[in-house]
């Protein structure tokens, strides 16, 4: 399976800054046939960045979408509107779940919306520190995976990407340990296997996200069941992002 290096720029960079940064990435990030490199700017920067990048080098992702295709939903952006512009969309990121109150139902509907509009959903799942301390990690991950993928048809599973992002590791200085990542990503793959069959589950890329950068990318990418990285802060440093792409290209 290809490796995935996906940069989530979050609510950073205005349109001009995003264009400049995309130009810098275009000069820094190398193309590797076995690495899918994706950048996820804010909505406003998607089009200018799209016109600027070589899509063989980097694909574009959005950071969110609404699940209705169109209508009176002031301020929302639908997967249908993203179609043709973004090839990926991040869904159920912990900041959406915990700051904006998105629940598993929203996440499920958004996964559906992405798939029906030809956009690959990156479904984020992960436990909070409290859930982890209470020994609930496995339960939480199974619930979030089962709920997020509930209405996905077997034929659509090949389009789905899942990211394991422990909430306590995001934006912190505390990445998860590799033993925990191995256990969590196995739980995720097993749950997908229960839903779609073991063979199909093996085809789903599972990413790790949470305080990862050039210095720990290799150990994370070496964990069984980890097929890539979802990167926040370090994706805003061109040399770090390019380094992670290189590390991904070198790992079997
Ligand atoms: C994220 O927000 O998905 C993330 C992984 O952030 P960071 O890399 O900054 O922890």
């Amino acid at each position: 399976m290809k490796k995935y290096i996906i940069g989530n720029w979050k609510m950073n960079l205005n349109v001009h800054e995003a264009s400049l940064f995309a130009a810098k990435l275009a000069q820094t990030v190398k193309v590797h046939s076995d690495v899918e490199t994706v950048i996820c700017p804010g909505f406003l920067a998607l089009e200018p960045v799209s016109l600027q990048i070589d899509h063989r080098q980097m694909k574009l992702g959005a950071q969110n979408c609404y699940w209705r295709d169109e209508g009176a939903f002031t301020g929302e952006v639908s997967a249908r509107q993203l179609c043709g512009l973004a090839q990926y969309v991040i869904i159920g990121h912990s900041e959406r779940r915990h700051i904006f109150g998105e629940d598993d139902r929203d996440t499920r509907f958004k996964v559906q919306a992405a798939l029906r509009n030809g956009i690959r959903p990156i479904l984020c799942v992960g436990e909070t520190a409290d859930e982890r301390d209470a020994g609930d990690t496995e339960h939480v991950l199974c619930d979030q995976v089962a709920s997020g993928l509930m209405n996905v048809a077997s034929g659509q599973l090949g389009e789905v990407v899942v990211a394991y992002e422990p909430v306590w590791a995001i934006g912190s200085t505390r990445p998860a340990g590799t033993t925990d990542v191995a256990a969590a990503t196995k739980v995720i793959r097993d749950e997908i296997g229960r839903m779609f069959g073991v063979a199909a589950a093996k085809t789903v890329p599972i990413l790790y996200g949470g305080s990862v950068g050039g210095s720990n990318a290799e150990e994370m990418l070496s964990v069984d069941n980890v097929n890539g990285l979802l990167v926040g802060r370090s994706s805003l440093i061109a040399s770090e992002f390019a380094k992670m792409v290189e590390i991904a290209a070198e790992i079997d």
Side-chain angles (χ1 to χ4, degrees), residues 110-132:
K110 289 178 179 197
V111 167
Q112 290 299 302
L115 289 170
R116 83 172 164 267
N117 285 288
I119 301 176
R120 297 189 68 180
I122 304 160
L123 171 66
C124 299
V125 298
E127 80 286 359
T128 63
D130 285 350
E131 288 163 342
R132 175 183 152 90

Side-chain angles (χ1 to χ4, degrees), residues 6-10 38-47 59-66 77-79 81-83 85-93 96 114 119-124 230:
I6 302 185
N8 174 11
W9 295 4
K10 307 196 185 189
V38 183
I39 52 175
C40 304
F43 284 131
L44 289 174
L46 279 171
E47 190 177 17
K59 304 278 192 299
L60 269 187
Q63 298 172 17
N64 182 29
C65 68
Y66 190 51
V77 175
S78 69
Q81 291 174 307
L82 292 171
C83 177
L85 199 51
Q87 293 82 49
Y88 290 83
V89 59
I90 299 172
I91 289 177
H93 188 277
R96 301 296 321 166
I119 301 176
R120 297 189 68 180
I122 304 160
L123 171 66
C124 299
L230 180 54

